Amino acid sequence: MILSDMLNKKLNLPKPAEALPGRAKPIPTASKHFVSKRPLKGPYPEGLETAMFGLGCFWGAERLFWQIDGVWVTAVGYAGGVTPNPTYQETCTGLTGHAEVVLVVYDPKIVSYAQLLKLFWESHDPTQGMRQGNDVGTTYRSAIYTFGDAQHQAAISSRDAYEASLRGAGRGRITTEIAPAPEFYFAEEDHQQYLAKNPYGYCNLQGTGVTCAIPAAVSA
């Protein structure tokens, strides 16, 4: 396979017939969060809510969220594709269709979904399509996977407001995928809280420098 064909596959989502078959059983992962020691897969306390974001390599993205007061636990994984229970190596081929994402379980009495959206928008460049900086491929696409109509409308409203700010700063159109949350597949243990285990590990996240002013209706 020549290089152009490889890049083309990584920049285009696979059709179901092209996707890797995956497996029926989940791949092994950690039982507890490396930093907080809380259960990665739950059960989560009553009253908490869940969010899911993709903003490039999930190592750096996860660290952004676990540091926020009110976030109860985070986990990295794969979502938005076709292949069931994929491995990291399979996802990196671009033939599973998944994005690298962060699952965020949070207490809405302490931190709002609007605050999480603001962190999401300002922490990466959502105008780059199937890439994030030097990380190229469908796995690094910008995505918000929503739980319920309120999150979905908040995500769209914040996107429209931020796109106006980006245009004013001479930036391009936002390419972020916004869709109801698909199944989330936990990544392998090595990838969970990677930058806590490897403080000098790779992180390519860079924002645009443009502030995201969340609309009042979303912040309420």
Side-chain angles (χ1 to χ4, degrees):
M1 183 182 294
I2 61 175
L3 180 60
S4 61
D5 288 338
M6 292 175 66
L7 288 174
N8 184 59
K9 281 189 176 295
K10 292 192 73 173
L11 293 174
N12 291 281
L13 292 170
K15 297 175 182 177
E18 300 171 333
L20 297 175
R23 56 202 48 79
K25 293 183 178 181
I27 59 175
T29 191
S31 60
K32 293 183 179 181
H33 194 279
F34 183 79
V35 178
S36 69
K37 311 306 179 186
R38 290 168 175 162
L40 213 62
K41 294 187 176 183
Y44 308 129
E46 188 176 348
L48 300 190
E49 296 182 6
T50 304
M52 195 187 301
F53 302 103
L55 53 159
C57 176
F58 52 20
W59 292 344
E62 185 187 17
R63 181 171 61 181
L64 290 172
F65 290 100
W66 86 54
Q67 295 176 336
I68 299 299
D69 187 31
V71 170
W72 197 80
V73 78
T74 58
V76 295
Y78 318 110
V82 180
T83 301
N85 299 299
T87 66
Y88 180 74
Q89 288 76 16
E90 289 170 343
T91 303
C92 287
T93 67
L95 294 175
T96 72
H98 293 295
E100 291 190 9
V101 298
V102 182
L103 185 72
V104 181
V105 180
Y106 66 100
D107 186 341
K109 296 188 290 294
I110 300 175
V111 60
S112 68
Y113 187 62
Q115 289 172 292
L116 298 180
L117 285 171
K118 181 178 175 64
L119 178 65
F120 166 81
W121 291 120
E122 293 181 352
S123 297
H124 75 302
D125 183 346
T127 70
Q128 297 191 67
M130 299 299 186
R131 67 181 299 162
Q132 198 59 217
N134 292 328
D135 293 329
V136 179
T138 56
T139 55
Y140 303 113
R141 67 188 185 269
S142 176
I144 304 173
Y145 295 126
T146 57
F147 295 84
D149 187 63
Q151 280 195 8
H152 195 78
Q153 293 305 316
I156 290 174
S157 295
S158 67
R159 177 201 63 193
D160 293 347
Y162 195 46
E163 189 164 63
S165 297
L166 289 172
R167 282 201 305 268
R171 295 275 181 166
R173 181 180 64 87
I174 285 177
T175 60
T176 302
E177 174 188 1
I178 299 176
E183 187 161 1
F184 173 82
Y185 299 103
F186 285 86
E188 297 86 336
E189 182 171 2
D190 287 352
H191 298 290
Q192 303 297 340
Q193 302 82 60
Y194 181 85
L195 291 183
K197 303 169 186 173
N198 303 275
Y200 301 104
Y202 174 81
C203 179
N204 188 47
L205 278 183
Q206 290 186 343
T208 62
V210 178
T211 300
C212 176
I214 298 293
V218 176
S219 301

